[in-house]
C-alpha cells in the first residue's frame, strides 16, 4: 500500500460523507466497507457556537483518517481560508485542495490550484490536490511541495468513470513513485477496479455510494472491486493483443487426411 504523507492506509477506499439518507447508513457504509479515509466539507458556519459537533463526533467514532476538503471554493484565498479552518476544527494537517474553475464541469482551476498548493505546503499542510490528468499540472504541483496527486476520473458526481484512459495511464507511467488517487466521477465498482488494475493507489468517491438505492451494499461492492483490482495489478496481467492466440496448444493435434 502506498504511503500518504507518512501514513500507510489499511484500505485503498476513501469515502465522502455527504448525501447519505441518514447518519446510521453513513456509519454502516463505512464500517462494512472498511474504508480508511473520510472526506468532510468545511463550512464557515461550523466554526461558530460549536455548530456541527454531532457530525464531527460521528466521524470520530468511525475510527478512520479524516481528510477535510475545500469543496466549493473558487479562489485561492477562499481555499486557503477554508483549509486553515479545517486544520483548526479537525486537528489535522491533511487537506484535499479544491480550487474550482468551471461551475458546470467543476473542473479545477490549474493556476489557482498550484498557487494555493504552494502556499498551503509552506504553512505545513499535507496537500491532496484535486486535479485533471494533465502531466504539466502534475509536475507543477509536485514542485509546489505536494506528495500525493488526485486526478479526476470524470467530472464530480457524473458517474462516467475513467474518461481519459490514455491520460491516466500516462500519469501513472510518468510518476511511478508518487501516490495517485482517482478522485471523482466513479459510478460503478467495475470502474474502481479498473483504476486499481492500472496501478492507481486508491480511489475516492461519494455520490456513487451515498445516492445508491442501498448505500451499504454499494460500499461493500466498491471495497470488493478495489481488492480485485489491486490483486490483478500485483498479478502482472497479460498485455492486450491485436491478433488471436490459441490457449490450447496445436502440438499433438490429430490431423485428418
Amino acid at each position: 500500500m502506498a504511503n500518504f504523507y507518512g501514513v500507510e492506509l489499511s484500505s485503498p477506499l476513501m469515502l465522502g460523507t455527504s448525501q447519505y439518507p441518514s447518519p446510521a447508513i453513513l456509519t454502516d457504509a463505512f464500517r462494512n466497507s472498511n474504508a480508511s479515509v473520510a472526506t468532510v466539507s468545511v463550512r464557515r458556519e461550523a466554526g461558530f457556537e460549536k455548530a456541527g459537533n454531532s457530525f464531527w463526533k460521528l466521524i470520530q467514532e468511525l475510527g478512520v483518517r479524516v481528510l477535510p476538503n475545500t469543496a466549493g471554493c473558487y479562489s485561492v484565498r477562499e481555499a486557503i481560508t477554508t483549509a486553515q479552518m479545517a486544520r483548526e476544527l479537525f486537528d489535522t494537517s491533511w487537506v484535499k485542495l479544491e480550487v474550482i474553475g468551471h461551475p458546470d464541469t467543476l473542473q479545477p482551476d490549474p493556476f489557482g490550484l498550484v498557487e494555493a498548493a504552494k502556499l498551503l505546503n509552506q504553512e505545513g499542510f499535507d496537500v491532496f490536490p484535486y486535479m485533471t490528468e494533465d502531466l504539466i499540472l502534475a509536475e507543477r504541483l509536485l514542485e509546489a511541495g505536494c506528495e500525493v496527486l488526485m486526478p479526476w476520473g470524470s467530472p464530480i458526481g457524473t458517474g462516467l468513470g475513467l474518461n481519459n484512459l490514455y491520460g491516466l495511464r500516462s500519469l501513472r507511467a510518468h510518476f511511478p513513485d508518487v501516490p495517485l488517487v482517482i478522485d471523482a466521477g466513479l459510478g460503478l465498482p467495475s470502474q474502481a477496479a479498473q483504476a486499481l488494475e492500472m496501478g492507481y493507489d486508491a480511489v475516492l468517491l461519494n455520490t456513487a455510494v451515498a445516492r445508491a438505492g442501498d448505500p451499504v451494499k454499494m460500499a461493500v461492492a466498491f471495497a470488493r472491486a478495489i481488492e480485485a483490482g489491486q490483486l490483478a495489478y500485483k498479478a502482472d496481467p497479460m498485455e492486450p493483443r491485436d491478433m488471436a492466440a490459441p490457449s490450447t496448444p496445436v502440438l499433438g493435434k490429430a490431423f485428418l487426411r
Side-chain angles (χ1 to χ4, degrees), residues 11-30:
S11 164
L13 179 58
M14 305 179 179
L15 284 179
T17 54
S18 66
Q19 305 184 69
Y20 288 83
S22 71
I25 291 176
L26 184 157
T27 299
D28 286 347
F30 269 85

Side-chain angles (χ1 to χ4, degrees), residues 53-67:
N53 267 7
S54 58
F55 175 74
W56 176 219
K57 183 179 179 182
L58 182 153
I59 298 302
Q60 288 178 305
E61 290 174 350
L62 294 176
V64 299
R65 295 283 307 191
V66 176
L67 178 60

Side-chain angles (χ1 to χ4, degrees), residues 102-117:
H102 196 282
D104 293 329
T105 65
L106 301 181
Q107 180 172 327
D109 169 6
F111 308 103
L113 184 64
V114 172
E115 182 182 350

Side-chain angles (χ1 to χ4, degrees), residues 161-227:
L162 307 180
N163 268 358
N164 184 358
L165 291 176
Y166 171 80
L168 292 171
R169 287 196 180 102
S170 296
L171 198 65
R172 179 71 286 175
H174 277 76
F175 304 103
D177 300 321
V178 176
L180 298 180
V181 182
I182 292 292
D183 175 19
L186 298 181
L188 293 171
S190 56
Q191 297 163 353
Q194 185 179 26
L196 271 292
E197 288 170 357
M198 291 167 54
Y200 276 75
D201 300 290
V203 297
L204 193 161
L205 55 128
N206 188 167
T207 308
V209 168
R211 303 296 291 176
D214 189 327
V216 178
K217 286 184 179 178
M218 187 60 78
V220 173
F222 268 98
R224 292 179 181 176
I226 288 167
E227 182 180 1

